[in-house]
């Protein structure tokens, strides 16, 4: 099957499954890539924790921060489904910067991420990306601001109402009545921009090599493996990634490294048109499309 036929069929699958989105897979050895709407900008949700880790670790490398420093972290006291880690703690805790990086990146702990944002604010994270020559990923707010959505003010039985609003209250210019979904106000990015970030972490770039190595290690330790991991993990490959979820948005970006030396950067950012919190079918469809794109590139250079 040629690339154009594959892309047409995958677009049809996504449409039938109620998913819109931005997909890109790039061979990190050859630079060849294949994608669907790779320049479509969407709010990035927890994907922003990857550039946050880069910025904090660059400051540690420069000696501005000490990874062993203990930080008093306030409890999130969140009781709604989804969040884990300090975000669900009931009492304050002292946690080192190094361990906050683990919680933020590997567990997607938003309270841990906000403790890091207090040390390295969003504007400084964005400046680190610019200094590394990376464009297209914006960092505008903390995770606390991100998570204050209509879903947090509704009962579990009414959460579909928040999803209906998320799906229907957007504008043609990608603005939105919910600020966290408005790309002019929210942290945002495209599949291409996140693949560029992944490439900078996995291949020589302006990011300090020790920093890139630690971020790769953190992403390899991601415990949230229900989305793309089933299609990219095996005994002969390693999948390192970060997920992002907000209302109807489901994202994941990562790199699959094969035992034969091939490595592919994968970025998937989607918006569902189905007003439901739990959508295992959407998760499986995201993975199937991303896997098909990777398989096509892998076969072309086998």
């Amino acid at each position: 099957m040629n690339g154009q036929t594959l892309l047409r069929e995958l677009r049809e699958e996504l449409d039938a499954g109620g998913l819109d989105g931005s997909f890109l897979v790039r061979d990190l050895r050859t630079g060849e890539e294949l994608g669907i709407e790779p320049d479509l900008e969407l709010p990035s949700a927890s994907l922003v924790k990857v550039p946050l880790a880069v910025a904090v670790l660059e400051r540690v490398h420069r000696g501005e921060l000490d990874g062993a420093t203990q930080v008093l972290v306030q409890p999130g006291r969140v009781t709604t489904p989804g969040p884990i880690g300090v975000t669900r703690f009931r009492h304050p805790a002292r946690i080192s910067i190094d361990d906050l990086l683990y919680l933020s990146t590997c567990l997607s702990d938003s309270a841990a991420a906000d403790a890091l944002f207090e040390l390295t604010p969003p504007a400084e994270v964005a400046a680190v990306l610019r200094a590394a020559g990376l464009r297209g990923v914006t960092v505008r707010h903390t995770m606390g601001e991100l998570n204050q959505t209509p879903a947090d003010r509704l009962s579990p039985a009414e959460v579909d109402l928040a999803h209906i609003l998320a799906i229907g209250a957007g504008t043609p210019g990608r603005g939105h009545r919910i600020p966290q979904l408005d790309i002019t106000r929210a942290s945002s990015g495209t599949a291409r921009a996140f693949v560029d970030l992944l490439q900078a972490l996995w291949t020589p770039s302006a990011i300090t090599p020790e920093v890139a190595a630690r971020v790769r290690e953190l992403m390899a330790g991601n415990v949230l493996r229900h989305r793309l991991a089933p299609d990219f993990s095996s005994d002969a490959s390693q999948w390192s990634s970060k997920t992002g979820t907000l209302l109807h948005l489901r994202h994941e970006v990562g790199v699959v490294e094969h035992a034969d030396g091939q490595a592919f950067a994968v970025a998937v950012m989607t918006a569902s048109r189905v007003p439901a919190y739990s959508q295992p079918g959407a998760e499986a469809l995201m993975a199937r499309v991303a896997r098909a794109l990777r398989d096509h590139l892998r076969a072309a250079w086998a």
Side-chain angles (χ1 to χ4, degrees), residues 59-75:
R59 294 191 65 202
V60 170
H61 180 77
R62 294 195 298 262
E64 299 172 9
L65 296 173
D66 183 343
T69 298
Q70 300 281 307
V71 178
L72 180 63
V73 183
Q74 297 302 318

Side-chain angles (χ1 to χ4, degrees), residues 57-265:
L57 287 165
E58 287 284 5
R59 294 191 65 202
V60 170
H61 180 77
R62 294 195 298 262
E64 299 172 9
L65 296 173
D66 183 343
T69 298
Q70 300 281 307
V71 178
L72 180 63
V73 183
Q74 297 302 318
R77 298 194 178 97
V78 170
T79 58
T80 54
I84 56 178
V86 182
T87 306
R88 302 191 81 87
F89 278 23
R90 296 183 178 183
H91 307 286
R94 288 195 174 276
I95 306 173
S96 72
I97 291 174
D98 280 338
D99 291 334
L100 288 171
L101 283 164
Y102 165 74
L103 292 170
S104 172
T105 311
C106 300
L107 276 69
S108 202
D109 184 340
S110 291
D114 276 349
L116 295 172
F117 270 129
E118 286 187 18
L119 299 170
T120 306
E124 190 167 349
V125 176
V128 169
L129 292 180
R130 290 195 300 272
L134 296 166
R135 300 288 186 270
V137 175
T138 67
V139 185
R140 293 190 173 109
H141 53 70
T142 65
M143 302 309 298
E145 295 172 81
L146 174 71
N147 292 326
Q148 295 170 4
T149 71
D152 298 301
R153 297 190 288 272
L154 295 170
S155 71
E158 298 173 316
V159 72
D160 62 310
L161 300 178
H163 285 259
I164 290 170
L165 178 61
I167 294 164
T171 70
R174 311 205 69 75
H176 207 285
R177 290 181 61 188
I178 299 175
Q180 297 90 337
L181 299 177
D182 186 332
I183 63 167
T184 67
R185 292 182 282 178
S187 296
S188 64
T190 65
R192 186 180 305 282
F194 276 102
V195 163
D196 288 343
L197 174 57
L198 293 170
Q199 181 165 348
L201 290 167
W202 259 261
T203 63
S205 72
I207 296 176
T208 303
E210 294 82 0
V211 169
R214 178 57 179 153
V215 176
R216 293 197 301 270
E217 183 180 25
L218 288 168
M219 293 179 69
N222 181 16
V223 303
L224 302 176
R225 306 184 70 80
H226 62 291
R227 196 160 284 167
L228 301 190
D231 278 76
F232 286 103
S233 299
S234 74
D235 288 348
S237 64
Q238 175 173 290
W239 174 242
S240 306
S241 71
K242 179 72 194 75
T243 58
T245 308
L246 179 67
L247 294 173
H248 68 317
L249 301 179
R250 287 170 174 78
H251 308 329
E252 186 161 0
V253 301
V255 171
V256 56
E257 298 171 90
H258 297 282
D260 63 5
Q262 281 192 305
F264 297 86

